[in-house]
Amino acid sequence: QGQLVESGGDSVQSGGSLRLSCVVSGYTISNRCMGWFRQGPGKEREGVASVHRDGSSSYADSVKGRFTVSRDNAKNTLYLQMNSLKPEDTAMYYCVDSAPWRAGCNLAASRYDTWGQGTQVTVSS
């Protein structure tokens, strides 16, 4: 069983930027679909971004053009660069990964097998 540890969450003003990191231990991420989810206060969990083992990515409409997901397989680390942050981005952000045998890569929560503990992002207006 692997362990996913997120960091980089903080409190920022609207329009600001943050970079989240997720360090994975226990196995290599190079052959896994990886992603980020979030859950804001009083909101349902939402898939934010995913990145396939081949580097292709997908995003929720609410973050397209503002967020960028990337992976460094050599460092076994996943990143989420968040720009032009809005108050509605306030949430706990979770790093997730998918078992290597699963085909494809998308924002469906059911496809992810391991979740981190989360890192809090708060955006004030």
Side-chain angles (χ1 to χ4, degrees):
Q1 185 76 10
Q3 185 178 18
L4 283 62
V5 179
E6 304 94 333
S7 62
D10 204 346
S11 296
V12 297
Q13 297 257 332
S14 182
S17 297
L18 284 174
R19 188 194 197 201
L20 305 184
S21 299
C22 171
V23 178
V24 181
S25 59
Y27 46 70
T28 179
I29 68 169
S30 62
N31 57 354
R32 295 172 182 259
C33 167
M34 305 288 297
W36 291 96
F37 279 70
R38 69 183 180 186
Q39 187 163 20
K43 297 182 179 180
E44 292 189 357
R45 184 174 56 188
E46 175 188 24
V48 175
S50 65
V51 57
H52 194 274
R53 67 193 75 177
D54 65 6
S56 59
S57 56
S58 59
Y59 298 91
D61 288 343
S62 58
V63 306
K64 280 181 182 176
R66 300 188 298 122
F67 290 12
T68 302
V69 62
S70 61
R71 60 196 299 158
D72 185 333
N73 291 335
K75 295 182 178 180
N76 232 35
T77 301
L78 180 72
Y79 302 100
L80 184 67
Q81 178 67 45
M82 305 186 295
N83 299 328
S84 302
L85 283 162
K86 305 175 181 180
E88 51 264 43
D89 295 318
T90 294
M92 185 72 80
Y93 284 72
Y94 299 92
C95 173
V96 296
D97 75 29
S98 181
W101 55 265
R102 294 189 188 275
C105 194
N106 56 41
L107 296 178
S110 59
R111 76 165 353 271
Y112 293 99
D113 302 287
T114 307
W115 294 65
Q117 292 298 306
T119 186
Q120 178 67 38
V121 172
T122 302
V123 185
S124 57
S125 57

